[in-house]
Amino acid sequence: MDYNCKTLAELYQNALLNHVLPFWETYSLDWEHGGYFTCLDRSGQVYDTDKFIWLQNRQVWTFSMLCNQLEKRESWLGIAKNGADFLAQHGRDAEGNWYFALTREGQPLIEPYNIFSDCFAAMAFSQYALAAGADWAKDVALQAYNNVLRRQDNPKGKYNKTHPGTRPMKSLAVPMILANLTLEMAWLLPSETLENVLASTVKEVMTDFLDQERGLMYENVTPNGSHIDCFEGRLINPGHGIEAMWFIMDIASRKNDTDTINQAVDVVLNILNFAWDNEHGGLYYFMDAEGHPPQQLEWDQKLWWVHLESLVALAMGYRLTGRDSCWQWYQKMHDYTWSHFADPEGGEWFGYLNRRGEVLLNLKGGKWKGCFHVPRALYLCWQQFAALS
């Protein structure tokens, strides 16, 4: 592999525009009922027609973002509109909370049991409002964003299964996604709200969830940021920690905050050293901080998004700091990721490998994998290496 920044930029650009987006443009559009099919096998055949709100909103976001960042293609805008119209009509309950899943026609299947559907709705409609010049979409985005702010301290609300008060915990997923979401919403938010939420989420992630001694990002901590000796309290989710760190870099780079950028890069490198499988290569999906057996039976699988987010974090870290350790790790991660997940024959990327790196599920989309992590990472890596060329 020629690790030349110009060559890498071209590789990512070509993969995005000629291999990944055409797969979703060809196979995922439900022009009859609106929205998208995400359960697609390797060849693009639909094997389930249920519509998962996370993935519907993420695809609206992807095509809207590309309209805003690359070019206002009518076909891309049409694809975004097909999802946005369907979601605006069917995606929320009477109180304005976003469902988790719908039937193909848009009937509710799974209740709004956490705030991540609302997060992705806010992201999607913010970008769509910008791409389409649609004022109504701004209102949808802001309503979803305010839902997230209102529910951030109790993200599952009445759907929470845990007994209150016995072992209170908070999850990294909430502040990390709120940080990224707020940056996405920057053009719609009052500057005071923007700066306050960014500052508080960055502080929470880098203070409460970061173990300063080990330099690792914990998935769950007590409300005051201390550790708990239980399955959830010892959980390390390498992909989440690394993704959170490029969110932090992105925010810190707005103010040339080199200290925070370098701290985030340090955490990325620590997680990679902790989570890399020295026998088979790749990053573990879940780990126990103390080396105990994780409760997740899929802990040793190798997942597409974990490796793609690592490529983004390493490319961004290298662009912002020039640190050789980022470049060395980038090359190692690149070799593994491109040789195991990319599918030059069928388009798009495989999502799920076993520990040995063999394809475990021969699919391109499902209940959790849609048109988001692959195109976003390809776009962001393209931009990082183009800036370095």
Side-chain angles (χ1 to χ4, degrees):
M1 173 65 206
D2 178 8
Y3 290 108
N4 170 291
C5 289
K6 185 172 184 293
T7 307
L8 287 169
E10 290 168 354
L11 174 74
Y12 282 104
Q13 178 183 10
N14 180 57
L16 174 66
L17 298 179
N18 299 322
H19 294 283
V20 170
L21 291 179
F23 182 89
W24 297 101
E25 291 169 315
T26 304
Y27 301 116
S28 74
L29 276 297
D30 184 354
W31 294 117
E32 184 181 350
H33 293 285
Y36 317 108
F37 301 116
T38 62
C39 296
L40 304 172
D41 68 14
R42 184 183 184 186
S43 65
Q45 294 300 301
V46 178
Y47 63 86
D48 195 289
T49 61
D50 288 351
K51 291 174 178 168
F52 306 98
I53 295 292
W54 286 24
L55 301 185
Q56 299 292 311
N57 274 310
R58 284 172 159 189
Q59 189 156 343
V60 172
W61 177 88
T62 298
F63 281 94
S64 300
M65 179 277 290
L66 292 169
C67 284
N68 293 329
Q69 299 296 330
L70 291 180
E71 60 174 292
K72 196 69 68 75
R73 282 193 199 179
E74 284 305 311
S75 60
W76 288 350
L77 196 58
I79 290 170
K81 183 178 189 301
N82 192 55
D85 289 349
F86 174 80
L87 287 163
Q89 186 175 353
H90 301 294
R92 293 172 286 182
D93 69 11
E95 282 77 49
N97 299 305
W98 289 81
Y99 294 111
F100 179 81
L102 310 172
T103 64
R104 179 185 177 186
E105 297 76 19
Q107 292 300 306
L109 273 176
I110 299 179
E111 297 286 358
Y113 69 87
N114 70 30
I115 61 170
F116 299 114
S117 293
D118 301 73
C119 286
F120 295 120
M123 276 177 66
F125 282 88
S126 169
Q127 286 288 333
Y128 180 70
L130 203 54
D135 282 342
W136 67 267
K138 288 185 196 176
D139 297 335
V140 176
L142 286 168
Q143 190 253 338
Y145 182 73
N146 288 323
N147 260 6
V148 176
L149 291 183
R150 177 173 54 81
R151 295 176 57 190
Q152 62 178 307
D153 293 328
N154 187 16
K156 293 194 175 181
K158 65 183 181 181
Y159 302 106
N160 199 334
K161 291 185 289 188
T162 58
H163 186 80
T166 304
R167 186 186 284 161
M169 276 189 292
K170 60 181 184 177
S171 164
L172 172 63
V174 176
M176 71 173 266
I177 203 165
L178 187 54
N180 179 244
L181 170 59
T182 301
L183 206 54
E184 284 278 335
M185 301 277 294
W187 74 284
L188 274 178
L189 299 175
S191 58
E192 188 180 356
T193 302
L194 174 68
E195 298 306 331
N196 286 344
V197 175
L198 289 179
S200 65
T201 50
V202 169
K203 182 181 177 187
E204 186 176 7
V205 169
M206 302 306 280
T207 304
D208 290 357
F209 291 94
L210 175 60
D211 183 298
Q212 302 294 338
E213 262 181 54
R214 304 183 69 181
L216 294 176
M217 198 59 62
Y218 279 64
E219 194 67 13
N220 302 293
V221 294
T222 67
N224 68 3
S226 58
H227 294 317
I228 313 170
D229 189 14
C230 65
F231 276 126
E232 291 84 3
R234 295 190 304 267
L235 180 63
I236 305 287
N237 181 332
H240 251 179
I242 291 169
E243 184 181 14
M245 288 306 96
W246 78 249
F247 291 170
I248 299 295
M249 288 182 222
D250 200 21
I251 293 166
S253 66
R254 294 169 68 244
K255 296 189 172 180
N256 294 314
D257 180 355
T258 54
D259 288 346
T260 301
I261 291 169
N262 274 294
Q263 186 185 21
V265 169
D266 288 341
V267 175
V268 170
L269 299 174
N270 289 335
I271 295 172
L272 291 172
N273 282 309
F274 182 77
W276 184 261
D277 180 348
N278 288 312
E279 187 178 349
H280 297 286
L283 296 170
Y284 292 114
Y285 188 19
F286 293 111
M287 300 183 77
D288 185 285
E290 303 305 322
H292 300 307
Q295 66 172 329
Q296 292 85 0
L297 301 181
E298 68 275 26
W299 69 275
D300 66 345
Q301 289 178 20
K302 310 291 167 63
L303 267 70
W304 85 108
W305 70 267
V306 175
H307 295 76
L308 283 159
E309 299 304 327
S310 300
L311 290 175
V312 173
L314 290 163
M316 189 180 291
Y318 182 63
R319 179 179 66 80
L320 291 171
T321 69
R323 288 167 60 172
D324 186 59
S325 48
C326 286
W327 185 235
Q328 296 307 318
W329 259 112
Y330 171 80
Q331 294 175 68
K332 185 175 181 176
M333 189 64 65
H334 180 106
D335 287 347
Y336 181 87
T337 304
W338 280 87
S339 63
H340 287 80
F341 291 100
D343 181 12
E345 293 170 28
E348 240 287 334
W349 288 33
F350 295 114
Y352 303 88
L353 313 178
N354 63 21
R355 184 183 172 190
R356 294 183 300 277
E358 299 156 345
V359 174
L360 187 61
L361 294 171
N362 199 13
L363 57 79
K364 295 298 172 57
K367 182 177 179 179
W368 303 106
K369 183 180 186 293
C371 181
F372 182 66
H373 281 287
V374 178
R376 182 177 73 168
L378 295 177
Y379 169 76
L380 287 169
C381 287
W382 166 20
Q383 299 307 306
Q384 305 309 308
F385 288 118
L388 284 162
S389 299

